[in-house]
């Protein structure tokens, strides 16, 4: 049997993934690749399978059939921790940030650094200075303009909180970042913070999957766009070669629709 050679630039492959919940087929043979440093938009109407796809890649749901491979290595992802170990970090729409903790404490939650030095590491003394330095370094590398690392998350705007959640994944050097509705319920200025951050991730070679319902946003940041409908992939197109009208028609299976600012009317 011939096997397909592993691409040196492909960082993620989702191959023929299927998932059922009782009599409902949430995903029906979905396949796509993600290249290194690529931003892939995934869109679909309600019930298209977007959330299930996110949860499969994140390790929340194990697929009934199909595989997920990172750098050519297949993984049986049975938990978010296993997905993280494989190099996949997911930022869900409901951000897992603790408002009463600082930016630094949230980024290093359950991953605290101890030290400096062997004795302090053995005593499990939290190295707050080292952690703060890593956060500041990430700010500089990514060109982020955020409040000081000691700032409590409760004082941040929605866009800033999204940026912190994404920065957390970057600091831990994940190969793939999955963003679930990253601009939902954000204002114009906060949305631009998040979209500009996604563009910076691409510049730094991070591979990103953006799950969204907003045509304008997905066209603004994506290199390619995958369209889901009723659990199936119905399109995989270059963003520069499509439009909001085309995407909505693919999502709904209808034609001659009017699209205004990325929304169906």
């Amino acid at each position: 049997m011939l096997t397909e050679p592993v691409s040196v630039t492909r960082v993620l492959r989702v191959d023929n993934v299927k998932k059922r919940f009782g009599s409902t087929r949430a995903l029906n043979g979905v396949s796509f690749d993600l290249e290194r440093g690529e931003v892939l938009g995934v869109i679909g109407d309600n019930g298209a399978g977007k959330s299930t796809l996110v949860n499969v890649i994140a390790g929340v749901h194990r697929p009934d059939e199909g595989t997920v491979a990172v750098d050519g290595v297949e993984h049986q992802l049975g938990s978010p921790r296993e997905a993280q170990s494989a190099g996949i970090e997911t930022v869900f729409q409901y951000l897992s940030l603790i408002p009463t903790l600082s930016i630094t404490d949230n980024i290093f939650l359950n991953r605290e650094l101890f030290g400096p030095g062997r004795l302090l590491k053995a005593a499990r003394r939290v190295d707050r200075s080292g952690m703060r330095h890593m956060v500041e370094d990430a700010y500089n590398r990514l060109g982020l303009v955020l409040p000081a690392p000691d700032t409590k998350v409760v004082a941040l705007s929605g866009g800033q909180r999204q940026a912190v959640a994404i920065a957390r994944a970057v600091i831990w050097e994940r190969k793939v970042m999955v963003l679930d509705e990253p601009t939902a319920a954000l204002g114009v200025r906060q949305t631009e913070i998040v979209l500009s951050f996604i563009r910076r991730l691409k510049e730094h070679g991070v591979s990103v999957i953006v799950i969204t319902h907003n045509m304008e946003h997905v066209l603004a940041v994506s290199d390619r766009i995958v369209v889901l409908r009723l659990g199936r992939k119905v399109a995989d197109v270059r963003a520069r070669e499509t439009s909001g009208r085309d995407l909505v028609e693919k999502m709904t299976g209808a034609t001659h629709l009017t699209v205004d600012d990325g929304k169906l009317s």
Side-chain angles (χ1 to χ4, degrees):
M1 178 184 294
L2 294 176
T3 58
E4 183 182 359
V6 176
S7 168
V8 296
T9 62
R10 180 194 301 150
V11 66
L12 177 76
R13 180 163 212 186
V14 175
D15 187 26
N16 196 35
V17 166
K18 299 179 181 180
K19 183 66 181 178
R20 298 184 71 109
F21 297 99
S23 61
T24 301
R25 191 185 295 274
L27 293 175
N28 191 5
V30 173
S31 300
F32 62 84
D33 295 336
L34 178 66
E35 301 296 311
R36 201 171 309 280
E38 183 180 36
V39 178
L40 176 70
V42 178
I43 63 172
D45 208 346
N46 292 335
K50 301 190 304 297
S51 296
T52 304
L53 179 62
V54 169
N55 285 323
V56 166
I57 298 173
V60 177
H61 296 324
R62 192 186 295 272
D64 300 326
E65 297 182 39
T67 58
V68 175
V70 179
D71 282 343
V73 179
E74 291 185 6
H75 296 272
Q76 297 295 323
L77 303 177
S79 70
R81 187 173 295 276
E82 291 180 12
Q84 290 171 352
S85 297
I88 301 171
E89 188 84 16
T90 303
V91 180
F92 289 99
Q93 184 175 351
Y94 48 92
L95 297 177
S96 56
L97 299 177
I98 300 177
T100 55
L101 296 182
S102 70
I103 293 173
T104 298
D105 287 340
N106 270 281
I107 286 175
F108 284 89
L109 189 64
N110 296 322
R111 300 167 176 171
E112 291 81 0
L113 299 183
F114 299 103
R118 188 162 48 185
L119 290 177
L120 292 179
K121 285 183 180 178
R124 297 186 65 79
R125 179 183 181 274
V126 176
D127 183 5
R128 297 198 173 278
S129 177
M131 287 159 44
R132 185 168 57 251
H133 177 76
M134 285 184 65
V135 174
E136 290 171 343
D137 180 64
Y139 280 12
N140 292 331
R141 283 191 294 119
L142 295 169
L144 279 176
V145 179
L146 287 173
D150 292 333
T151 304
K152 303 289 188 195
V153 165
V154 70
L156 304 181
S157 70
Q160 289 173 329
R161 294 188 190 196
Q162 278 283 5
V164 168
I166 298 171
R168 176 172 57 188
V170 173
I171 285 176
W172 296 110
E173 297 183 348
R174 302 304 182 202
K175 298 174 182 177
V176 178
M177 191 174 307
V178 183
L179 307 181
D180 179 25
E181 296 286 359
T183 59
L186 297 183
V188 173
R189 184 177 179 184
Q190 296 174 7
T191 293
E192 186 50 42
I193 290 174
V194 176
L195 296 181
S196 63
F197 195 3
I198 294 172
R199 296 185 188 102
R200 290 195 191 101
L201 293 177
K202 175 180 172 61
E203 294 171 2
H204 286 267
V206 179
S207 302
V208 184
I209 299 175
V210 180
I211 312 291
T212 183
H213 66 281
N214 190 296
M215 301 300 147
E216 182 182 5
H217 297 167
V218 79
L219 286 167
V221 298
S222 301
D223 298 300
R224 281 174 37 240
I225 301 171
V226 164
V227 182
L228 300 180
R229 185 169 76 240
L230 299 177
R232 294 180 179 272
K233 185 181 80 171
V234 295
D236 188 335
V237 296
R238 291 283 171 188
R240 64 176 179 269
E241 297 172 357
T242 189
S243 66
R245 177 189 297 274
D246 292 337
L247 293 174
V248 171
E249 289 181 354
K250 290 177 171 64
M251 282 171 52
T252 61
T255 58
H256 308 300
L257 300 173
T258 300
V259 181
D260 181 30
D261 293 331
K263 297 179 181 178
L264 180 64
S265 62

